[in-house]
Amino acid sequence: VEFLYCDLASMKSIRQFVRQFRAKNCPLHVLVNNAGVMLVPERKTEDGFEEHFGLNYLGHFLLTNLLLDTLKQSGTHSHNARIITVSSATHYVGKLHLNDLQSRCSYSPHGAYAQSKLALVLFTYRLQHLLTANGSHVTANVVDPGVVNTELYKHVFWVVKVVKWMTAWLFFKTPEEGASTTIYAAVSPEVEGAGGCYLYNEERTKSADIAYDEELQRRLWTESCKMVGISDEASRLP
C-alpha cells in the first residue's frame, strides 16, 4: 500500500496527483471515486466552485478524465479496468440546474448535495457511453452505499445527530457494510464487462428517471469540461 496525497476540492492538487501517479508507470485497474461532503454551509473551493458540486462531482470528473488513458491501457478484453463512482439515494430527489450549477441564485445544503449526487450518476452513464463508443476495455458504474454510520453527518441539525446517535446501531450500516457494494463493483466477476449500472446492495437497480436523459448527460459533460479546463473531445461522439 502506498499513499499519494490528493485534495479533490483542488484542481491543482488533482493535476499534481495525476502527474505523480503517471510518473510511476503503474497500471490502473480500479478507480473508486468516493470523496465527499454533505450538507455543508455555503462555501467555495479554492477554485471558486460551490463545495458540494466542486468536491463531490467536479473533482471526480477531472480526476477520472485525467486518468482515462491509463485506465484504457490497463484494461483487457477479459479483465476490464473499472471505474466506480459513489453516489447516493439522494440523487432521486436531486435537480440539475444547468444555468446555476453553483447554486448562486438560491443555496440549499440539501439541494446542492442532491444535485452533486445526481451529477455523478449522469456523468457515469455518459462516460460509459463514450467508453463503449471508443471500444475501450473500461467499465463505469455508480454505487449507492446506503445509509452508513460515518462522520459525513457532522453538518446535520443537532436533533438529527441525537437521533442518529440513538438509532445508528439499528438503521445505519457500518462502514464495512457500506463499502460492500463498492467492493463488489470493483472486483466481482459478476459485473465483468458490465458498465452503466446503478448498484445497490450488490444488485443492479434503477436510478432516477432523469439520470437516463442522454441530452442532459451530454450538456452536463460539455459544461463540466469547460469548468475544469479540459478538452471536450466527447462532444464529437454520438
Side-chain angles (χ1 to χ4, degrees), residues 96 98 118 121-123 125-126 207-221:
L96 195 77
L98 275 172
L118 173 59
V121 183
L122 288 159
F123 156 67
Y125 292 166
R126 179 59 180 167
S207 61
D209 289 340
I210 190 66
Y212 299 103
D213 185 329
E214 294 183 0
E215 177 61 21
L216 188 60
Q217 294 169 14
R218 282 193 290 264
R219 292 176 65 190
L220 175 63
W221 185 282

Side-chain angles (χ1 to χ4, degrees), residues 65-86:
N65 273 279
L66 294 180
L67 291 172
L68 267 183
D69 284 345
T70 305
L71 285 157
K72 290 175 181 178
Q73 293 165 10
S74 304
T76 65
H77 178 72
S78 57
H79 291 90
N80 282 231
R82 304 187 188 189
I83 301 167
I84 300 94
T85 297
V86 180

Side-chain angles (χ1 to χ4, degrees), residues 16-46:
Q16 288 177 336
F17 164 81
V18 171
R19 284 195 293 269
Q20 286 181 305
F21 180 79
R22 283 178 172 172
K24 295 180 176 296
N25 292 316
C26 292
L28 179 57
H29 300 107
V30 178
L31 172 64
V32 178
N33 292 318
N34 188 46
V37 292
M38 184 175 76
L39 308 184
V40 297
E42 186 173 9
R43 59 194 188 196
K44 297 180 179 179
T45 67
E46 67 176 45

